[in-house]
Amino acid sequence: PVIPELLRIAIPITLGASIIPITSMLDVKMIFACMGRYMDEAAVNQRYVALSTNVRSLINLPASLTTALAMSIVPAISGARARRDREGMHHFAGLGLKLSMAIGMPCAVGLFVLGGPIIQMLFRSIQPESLAIATSIMRVASLSVIFISLVQTMTGALQGMGRQSWPVWSLLAGGILKVVSNYIFLSMPKVNILGASISNVVCYGVAGILDMVLVLRLTGLRVRVWNMFLKPLVCSLAMGAAVHFAYLGLHAIRPGMITTIASVLVGVGVFFLMAMMTELFTAEELDSIPGGGRIKRFLRKD
């Protein structure tokens, strides 16, 4: 029957989608309750606005890329599974894992290095004190981008394998640890609002790693640490260094929005160059990525 099958698929996905909004509502309550013990309401509110408006709006931007990636992985893995094509499942699961790192790591490094200038560029009316708070939050929160990318792509892979309920349980485990770590860190005056970002990293880190472990077990995929993790990391760190020095040099000449945009463009160029030098993606992998064929022709790999 079609309806029971649709419900079997839809209910776990719906439950999973509701976990983060629920924990986010608890976030607000816990921030004001815990920090209100050692800080006045205006100071707490200033830090909460910096977190929710200035930081999270940027942290969630890379998620649009990984959401599209996750949606493309579902039919690819589902088709390979229907054909009993184990090699195909290996290929798409491994590609999804590598792409999550190739998207999440440079975005995380970029936001860590240029978080403050980007916030200042997008929120022109932000006060210096609020900017300093938002910048410190961003340096912690940027790490969560890597794990958010991992969660989304591995969730897509698991859904393609017919394991719709597992991402719900892993995200629930992450959500419970998020609440616990929130209480611990938000209660520390020296940590204060950074505790909310730390707990977010814990939440997505636990959920992402649990999802990845199950994908590896179900597919029998062998993790190639250099190809899947270290290559994206090397490319991202090189990009981060280039962006840092480009921003320092350009800022000394002409501070402002142009400098921030130019630094971002430098970062994109350096990451692309490093991806070519390290052969981040093979010709076969480029064929499986939307738009990858154009990149392959540009690199003359065909």
Side-chain angles (χ1 to χ4, degrees), residues 32-52:
F32 282 89
C34 295
M35 292 174 58
R37 297 172 189 164
Y38 53 81
M39 196 178 287
D40 63 71
E41 188 176 346
V44 176
N45 191 62
Q46 181 187 35
R47 284 157 178 77
Y48 173 70
V49 169
L51 171 68
S52 60

Side-chain angles (χ1 to χ4, degrees), residues 20-271:
I20 294 303
I22 291 171
T23 55
S24 295
M25 286 190 290
L26 288 173
D27 255 2
V28 181
K29 298 288 186 182
M30 295 183 76
I31 285 170
F32 282 89
C34 295
M35 292 174 58
R37 297 172 189 164
Y38 53 81
M39 196 178 287
D40 63 71
E41 188 176 346
V44 176
N45 191 62
Q46 181 187 35
R47 284 157 178 77
Y48 173 70
V49 169
L51 171 68
S52 60
T53 303
N54 306 132
V55 175
R56 282 186 178 164
S57 56
L58 292 176
I59 291 297
N60 291 330
L61 281 177
S64 59
L65 294 174
T66 47
T67 298
L69 171 62
M71 290 175 65
S72 68
I73 285 176
V74 174
I77 292 185
S78 181
R81 175 170 167 259
R83 296 189 303 270
R84 300 184 184 276
D85 178 7
R86 196 164 183 82
E87 287 301 316
M89 290 178 67
H90 283 187
H91 172 73
F92 287 110
L95 180 59
L97 181 55
K98 186 190 283 191
L99 277 169
S100 70
M101 295 297 103
I103 294 172
M105 284 185 178
C107 288
V109 171
L111 288 172
F112 180 89
V113 175
L114 278 185
I118 291 173
I119 291 170
Q120 190 172 29
M121 179 179 71
L122 297 178
F123 303 94
R124 304 300 294 274
S125 61
I126 191 170
Q127 298 300 311
E129 185 181 355
S130 295
L131 177 62
I133 293 169
T135 301
S136 65
I137 296 171
M138 180 64 82
R139 286 178 182 149
V140 177
S142 59
L143 183 60
S144 66
V145 174
I146 299 171
F147 295 117
I148 291 171
S149 299
L150 184 62
V151 167
Q152 290 181 323
T153 51
M154 292 298 97
T155 296
L158 288 168
Q159 288 172 355
M161 295 175 199
R163 301 298 180 100
Q164 292 86 0
S165 62
W166 178 264
V168 178
W169 293 111
S170 59
L171 202 55
L172 181 62
I176 292 170
L177 288 175
K178 175 183 170 75
V179 172
V180 173
S181 56
N182 242 343
Y183 180 79
I184 294 171
F185 291 113
L186 288 172
S187 299
M188 299 178 181
K190 289 185 178 180
V191 179
N192 62 79
I193 196 64
L194 296 181
S197 290
I198 294 170
S199 67
N200 214 40
V201 174
V202 169
C203 173
Y204 285 108
V206 168
I209 291 169
L210 288 175
D211 286 345
M212 182 181 67
V213 168
L214 185 63
V215 168
L216 296 178
R217 287 185 61 187
L218 289 174
T219 61
L221 178 67
R222 190 175 174 184
V223 176
R224 294 175 295 169
V225 176
W226 168 244
N227 282 309
M228 293 180 177
F229 297 101
L230 295 183
K231 277 187 181 180
L233 180 60
V234 168
C235 294
S236 299
L237 292 177
M239 180 207 75
V243 167
H244 174 70
F245 290 111
Y247 181 80
L248 287 180
L250 293 170
H251 184 75
I253 299 169
R254 185 179 179 180
M257 183 172 65
I258 299 298
T259 291
T260 302
I261 294 172
S263 300
V264 171
L265 293 175
V266 167
V268 172
V270 170
F271 185 83

